[in-house]
Amino acid sequence: MSVEISLHNTPLADVHVALGAKMVGFGGWNMPLQYESILDEWEHNRKRTSLFDCSHMGEFMIKGDAKACGLDRIVTQAITDMPVNTCRYGAMLNDAGGVIDDLIVYRKGSEDWMIVVNAANIEKNARHFRAHLGPSALFEDASFKTAKLDVQGPGSRDVLKVMAPGIEGLAYYTFGQFQIAGVPCLISRTGYTGELGYEIYCPWEKCKEIWQNILENATVKPTGLAVRDVLRVEMCYSLYGHELDENISPLEAGLDKFIDGNKDFIGRQALPARPAQRSIGYFVSASRKSPRAGNKVFDAAGHEIGIVTSGTFSPALNAGIGIGFMSRLAKDAGTGFFFGDEKNKAAAVVAKRPFYKNGSLKS
């Protein structure tokens, strides 16, 4: 007997359908996979400006002193020294040292915070925060009140500064309060595609108005999740459920620099007891053949040494690229190996991250 799974809709679901997007289920949400070919959408993002609907992401609002209310102990990164209007990437762990989720912390005021989490983990994460925040914290899951639009590409600053004057002053990993079409918005500059990019957080009911306002600029195109994944693999960014999950240590996932060794946090005591038996590695196929998540990794002698977690075809390199966990070779750039299965193996070489190196991300 088939079981029908109910998907959440973003405020733009009907707009995506009207624009001809192919819709798919992703993280419990009905989302646009693509509007045009992946190659066309890739080229537009790399050369011009793309608009993504990311309203499926979760937003938690927390008020309280970071240490006194327990927030500082939940996240792995340093946050008490964050200036107001800055954001930081990090993670939160379970007691065994596995990654519950990766996240970005926004400091809106001295005791005013926004935490952005992955769509598929909203309910799980909300339970974790509620369980570990102290009584002095005020916590709100605003995920279904807050929409998120990402404007990405080398032209994104020129597009947005007309609608939200002052955004051109935002430095990398900072944010501010602006208005678009009279609607108050929090706009940050972090990016996920390797290009200059901004994230617009706005009221759920005003999202459609802002989306349409941005698309009035002829240089902007709506873009789907399929190419977003290609763009993030080219940048070697981790994706929860692939390079990160509750059975993966942040150390083997390469998140060392997002862990503050000078503070206590949930899962810290378990990390030294979990020496990394494998490490994350990045590789380029010797051909256009693309690796796929779940492919095995073999050394030159044919011995199985790991697994592919993400793979795609890179238009930037005109070759297949991949990310995976390996028991060895991961750090040995230039070393040859194979991916695939016992019957079909394709050659590849270990590479240094990122694959895409000429983006406008910090321009």
Side-chain angles (χ1 to χ4, degrees):
M1 185 177 79
S2 62
V3 178
E4 188 172 329
I5 300 175
S6 178
L7 297 173
H8 298 298
N9 283 319
T10 76
L12 297 168
D14 59 333
V15 175
H16 298 314
V17 172
L19 289 173
K22 178 181 180 181
M23 304 295 286
V24 296
F26 177 82
W29 292 76
N30 184 31
M31 299 295 293
L33 182 68
Q34 62 189 94
Y35 296 84
E36 300 179 354
S37 74
I38 291 177
L39 185 58
D40 285 342
E41 291 190 0
W42 177 90
E43 184 172 13
H44 195 83
N45 187 91
R46 291 287 186 227
K47 295 181 178 180
R48 297 176 185 82
T49 306
S50 297
L51 178 60
F52 298 87
D53 178 11
C54 295
S55 301
H56 59 313
M57 299 293 282
E59 295 85 15
F60 300 158
M61 307 299 176
I62 298 170
K63 291 190 176 180
D65 177 84
K67 284 195 172 181
C69 78
L71 175 61
D72 186 56
R73 189 170 178 272
I74 292 175
V75 298
T76 61
Q77 70 269 51
I79 62 171
T80 56
D81 64 342
M82 288 175 61
V84 172
N85 289 342
T86 65
C87 32
R88 284 185 185 169
Y89 174 82
M92 58 182 180
L93 311 182
N94 57 30
D95 290 330
V99 180
I100 294 176
D101 205 1
D102 61 332
L103 47 80
I104 298 181
V105 175
Y106 286 66
R107 190 168 201 169
K108 299 169 64 179
S110 61
E111 297 187 1
D112 190 1
W113 312 83
M114 180 172 76
I115 316 295
V116 180
V117 300
N118 285 298
N121 296 333
I122 292 173
E123 292 183 10
K124 176 185 74 170
N125 291 347
R127 289 194 300 269
H128 186 78
F129 272 91
R130 290 190 176 104
H132 294 283
L133 286 171
S136 64
L138 295 178
F139 175 86
E140 179 189 8
D141 179 358
S143 303
F144 289 88
K145 294 169 58 177
T146 308
K148 179 176 183 282
L149 301 177
D150 286 13
V151 184
Q152 302 281 305
S156 57
R157 181 186 288 122
D158 291 335
V159 169
L160 277 183
K161 71 181 183 182
V162 177
M163 292 175 277
I167 65 97
E168 63 271 24
L170 289 179
Y172 190 49
Y173 264 74
T174 68
F175 66 92
Q177 302 292 336
F178 300 89
Q179 288 194 0
I180 296 180
V183 179
C185 303
L186 184 156
I187 302 180
S188 61
R189 179 187 166 190
T190 63
Y192 190 68
T193 66
E195 304 297 346
L196 176 68
Y198 300 86
E199 301 77 40
I200 302 169
Y201 298 89
C202 64
W204 192 269
E205 66 277 8
K206 295 293 185 178
C207 179
K208 189 177 296 185
E209 181 180 341
I210 294 174
W211 170 275
Q212 293 169 341
N213 194 277
I214 295 172
L215 284 183
E216 287 179 4
N217 188 310
T219 67
V220 183
K221 285 188 176 182
T223 310
L225 292 180
V227 76
R228 191 172 173 88
D229 195 57
V230 175
L231 296 163
R232 72 98 187 165
V233 177
E234 286 188 330
M235 289 302 295
C236 298
Y237 293 151
S238 296
L239 178 65
Y240 196 86
H242 290 250
E243 291 74 38
L244 303 170
D245 67 33
E246 293 205 44
N247 296 310
I248 296 174
S249 159
L251 301 180
E252 61 187 356
L255 298 187
D256 313 49
K257 66 180 181 179
F258 304 109
I259 296 175
D260 181 4
N262 297 314
K263 74 170 192 179
D264 180 39
F265 55 83
I266 297 167
R268 177 178 176 173
Q269 299 305 314
L271 293 184
R274 292 182 58 162
Q277 301 299 316
R278 56 184 185 171
S279 59
I280 199 162
Y282 312 93
F283 62 91
V284 178
S285 172
S287 69
R288 291 170 59 90
K289 183 176 177 60
S290 302
R292 290 289 178 259
N295 283 167
K296 295 178 180 179
V297 175
F298 305 89
D299 64 15
H303 301 119
E304 185 178 337
I305 59 167
I307 189 169
V308 175
T309 53
S310 293
T312 189
F313 175 78
S314 167
L317 300 185
N318 195 33
I321 57 174
I323 306 173
F325 288 112
M326 308 177 196
S327 59
R328 56 184 187 278
L329 299 182
K331 307 299 181 184
D332 302 330
T335 301
F337 68 98
F338 299 93
F339 65 87
D341 56 34
E342 285 78 2
K343 293 183 179 179
N344 297 290
K345 298 183 178 69
V349 293
V350 177
K352 292 184 178 179
R353 63 176 309 206
F355 299 116
Y356 181 73
K357 305 181 188 300
N358 301 313
S360 56
L361 179 64
K362 297 184 181 180
S363 65

